[in-house]
Amino acid sequence: MTDEPLATLPSDTLADRAYQAIRDAIATGGLRAGEKVTERGLAEQLSVSPTPVREAIRRLEQDGLLVRKGPRTVTVSEIGDAALQDLAEVEVGLRGMVARFAARHATPAQLDALDAILDEADDLLILIVQRKRDGELPQRHLTKLMDTMQRFNDALEACAGNPVLSRLLDQARVFSQAERRARRLERITADPSFSLDRYSSHRALVRALRARDSVNAEAILIADARGGLSDLLHAPRTAGESVVDG
């Protein structure tokens, strides 16, 4: 065994971190459409050498989020409504594939864990509904519910057992996790009943996974993902607000 793979690990890790940091900045509006960025400038902001930033920029160009204008200069892509809708369809399709693979590969222990997470979500939903009846907006419980459902999504992705699919999904997401949360909280503030009924489909999904019914599992997750992204893509906007994840 040579030590070459170990020697490249720190650089790869920094490149991954730089990629995610720049991607999040684009998604949250920290880097705006049309804005010029440089390898050196990004490296200074991230306190890393230009090498991992160069790799991150290459990946973001492939994702269509950056456009190269010169040897060391790129600009943030202009992403119109049509492009966002196209990207949403890609994400929906990939998430459906997650369900399909999970139906084939999920272990009984993994499926039990999914149900346990949904039990936690149900308890939180009861508390949220009770607080809303009292005229409160239970921010802490809403945040905890979103954390719980993120755990569900992560566990579901693990059930698929397909690292390549996970990587493709990460690249195709319309919104980052932080964006999705901010946008959903915005909608809930405007409409307290927003999206709370959507969690009922998750039980049906787990039942389909237990039955190894990949067709039904995929259909359930596609419908849920499409509905969720549509809600967030068409969320009401305030002046100067950047687009966020769903």
Side-chain angles (χ1 to χ4, degrees):
M1 175 179 175
T2 67
D3 58 2
E4 183 177 352
L6 293 178
T8 62
L9 180 59
S11 177
D12 292 343
T13 301
L14 284 176
D16 290 340
R17 292 175 181 174
Y19 168 83
Q20 193 60 55
I22 299 169
R23 192 180 191 279
D24 287 347
I26 294 171
T28 58
L31 294 173
R32 298 190 176 279
E35 182 175 347
K36 182 193 295 184
V37 295
T38 65
E39 292 177 5
R40 183 178 298 276
L42 291 172
E44 290 177 354
Q45 292 182 54
L46 296 171
S47 299
V48 298
S49 71
T51 300
V53 170
R54 190 173 303 121
E55 170 62 17
I57 287 175
R58 184 188 65 78
R59 289 169 57 185
L60 288 161
E61 287 182 77
Q62 292 175 343
D63 294 348
L65 295 177
L66 293 177
V67 177
R68 184 164 293 279
K69 299 294 185 180
R72 295 184 179 276
T73 303
V74 294
T75 60
V76 179
S77 299
E78 301 275 357
I79 302 179
D81 290 342
L84 282 175
Q85 293 293 343
D86 289 344
L87 184 58
E89 281 302 307
V90 173
E91 179 180 345
V92 166
L94 290 172
R95 290 176 69 177
M97 290 181 67
V98 167
R100 189 194 312 169
F101 277 90
R104 299 175 188 171
H105 302 301
T107 66
Q110 286 177 315
L111 295 172
D112 289 344
L114 290 177
D115 271 327
I117 294 172
L118 292 179
D119 288 343
E120 294 179 39
D122 286 344
D123 291 341
L124 287 166
L125 278 171
I126 292 171
L127 286 172
I128 290 169
V129 170
Q130 289 175 342
R131 296 294 176 84
K132 285 182 176 178
R133 286 174 181 168
D134 295 335
E136 301 176 27
L137 184 63
Q139 184 85 21
R140 181 169 62 87
H141 295 308
L142 285 168
T143 299
K144 192 171 182 180
L145 176 61
M146 281 185 259
D147 288 340
T148 302
M149 295 316 301
Q150 184 58 49
R151 284 170 47 217
F152 179 90
N153 292 334
D154 291 343
L156 177 63
E157 197 172 315
C159 288
N162 190 320
V164 174
L165 178 56
S166 295
R167 179 64 176 268
L168 290 172
L169 183 56
D170 282 341
Q171 294 177 342
R173 292 187 195 280
V174 178
F175 304 112
S176 70
Q177 183 179 340
E179 290 177 295
R180 180 170 58 248
R181 170 169 302 199
R183 205 161 174 81
R184 184 165 288 134
L185 282 172
E186 176 193 359
R187 290 298 304 270
I188 292 172
T189 300
D191 176 9
S193 64
F194 171 73
S195 84
L196 294 185
D197 58 341
R198 286 183 47 241
Y199 295 122
S200 60
S201 66
H202 291 70
R203 291 289 188 186
L205 173 61
V206 177
R207 288 195 295 271
L209 296 179
R210 287 191 183 279
R212 302 300 178 189
D213 187 346
S214 59
V215 174
N216 192 28
E218 182 175 16
I220 291 170
L221 193 52
I222 283 177
D224 179 73
R226 182 172 286 129
L229 281 171
S230 178
D231 284 342
L232 296 178
L233 282 167
H234 298 97
R237 312 289 300 168
T238 58
E241 183 187 3
S242 61
V243 175
V244 291
D245 184 17

